[in-house]
Amino acid sequence: MEAAVAVFGLLFVLFVLAGVFVTVKAVKAAKAGVDRTVAQARRTVEDTSLRARQFAQPGVVGELAQLRLSLRTSMRATQEALHSGSPEDASLSEAIGLFERLSVHGHELDDELKRLEREPDRATIAARLPEFRERLERITHSAESLRWAARDRARKFADDDLASLTDQIDVESGALRHWTRAEGAADPLAEPVQERSPKQGQGRSQGQAAGQASAGSDHSWGPESEDPPAITARDPRTQPSYPWQKAPRTEETTT
């Protein structure tokens, strides 16, 4: 009795632990989904505000917004290209590590440009804009190099797979048409036809004539041969039938 109670108690504890584990996993997944949604919404709002500021506020503020928008667009496109291809290609893990290091410099530049938007000294900002453009071009150029390299690698794998698939389909198509035969090809089962020379034909004709003459001379004093049996027509009812033939029609006799 005590053993049964202990077993039931142990099962109850295991069920409780399993329920707690599942609940914690569900809460973490929901929290991650909420955080991802909030971050995506925040990025969308920031991008929209930058686009609006780019066109609504010309001058230094508009140029800063344009730089930030170009940086964010390039880095986001590279991140999506690398992470979308990493499950199928393990070689992209090193490229992802390099991109994460590049993202640190990108975040630093974005934060610095964001702080400069609230800077009242517009002349100093305008003087430093070429420096910011140069940093932006270096970061975006590196990001574009990683992005296009990953895309070219994926396209090369797709082309190789398509070429291999095409070859396999051609081989299978040829195997499915194994009954076809080239036009004009000789039948290996046919017996060769031997040509006869004119002399051989004349000798054979003379031999047949001599045999017929001897047969006629023997018939003059030998026993009289019997007449050959008459050839009777086949009864259509006794002929073998095939699945593709119609049944023979029998004529009705009138008395």
Side-chain angles (χ1 to χ4, degrees), residues 1 6-7 18 24 36 38 125 128 166 183 191 224:
M1 186 66 181
V7 170
V24 171
R36 185 165 54 251
V38 171
I125 299 175
R128 296 188 59 184
T166 302
E183 295 182 359
E191 296 182 357
E224 189 173 355

Side-chain angles (χ1 to χ4, degrees), residues 40-111:
Q40 185 176 0
R42 184 183 296 113
R43 286 194 301 267
T44 303
V45 172
E46 290 180 357
D47 293 344
T48 304
S49 63
L50 288 175
R51 290 189 180 92
R53 199 177 305 163
Q54 178 183 356
F55 297 104
Q57 298 179 358
V60 177
V61 178
E63 291 183 4
L64 291 176
Q66 181 181 1
L67 293 178
R68 290 188 62 194
L69 188 61
S70 299
L71 176 64
R72 294 162 67 92
T73 302
S74 179
M75 298 297 287
R76 188 178 300 119
T78 304
Q79 183 179 9
E80 292 177 357
L82 294 177
H83 286 280
S84 62
S86 59
E88 291 80 11
D89 189 2
S91 300
L92 293 179
S93 58
E94 185 175 356
I96 293 175
L98 294 175
F99 175 75
E100 291 177 354
R101 294 174 56 186
L102 183 65
S103 297
V104 175
H105 297 278
H107 287 303
E108 291 178 357
L109 178 59
D110 185 69
D111 294 338

Side-chain angles (χ1 to χ4, degrees), residues 80-178:
E80 292 177 357
L82 294 177
H83 286 280
S84 62
S86 59
E88 291 80 11
D89 189 2
S91 300
L92 293 179
S93 58
E94 185 175 356
I96 293 175
L98 294 175
F99 175 75
E100 291 177 354
R101 294 174 56 186
L102 183 65
S103 297
V104 175
H105 297 278
H107 287 303
E108 291 178 357
L109 178 59
D110 185 69
D111 294 338
E112 189 172 357
L113 293 175
K114 186 176 182 180
R115 287 192 299 268
L116 289 177
E117 292 177 352
R118 298 185 295 269
E119 178 66 34
D121 190 359
R122 304 299 183 185
T124 304
I125 299 175
R128 296 188 59 184
L129 278 179
E131 176 187 353
F132 294 132
R133 290 196 188 96
E134 182 182 359
R135 289 177 58 186
L136 175 65
E137 290 178 358
R138 294 175 59 184
I139 294 174
T140 55
H141 177 71
S142 299
E144 289 175 357
S145 299
L146 288 175
R147 182 170 69 251
W148 285 108
R151 290 176 179 175
D152 293 341
R153 183 179 179 86
R155 181 173 55 83
K156 182 64 170 60
F157 286 161
D159 292 342
D160 293 342
D161 184 69
L162 179 59
S164 176
L165 179 61
T166 302
D167 295 338
Q168 294 178 6
I169 290 176
D170 292 340
V171 172
E172 184 64 20
S173 299
L176 292 175
R177 298 190 182 95
H178 65 279

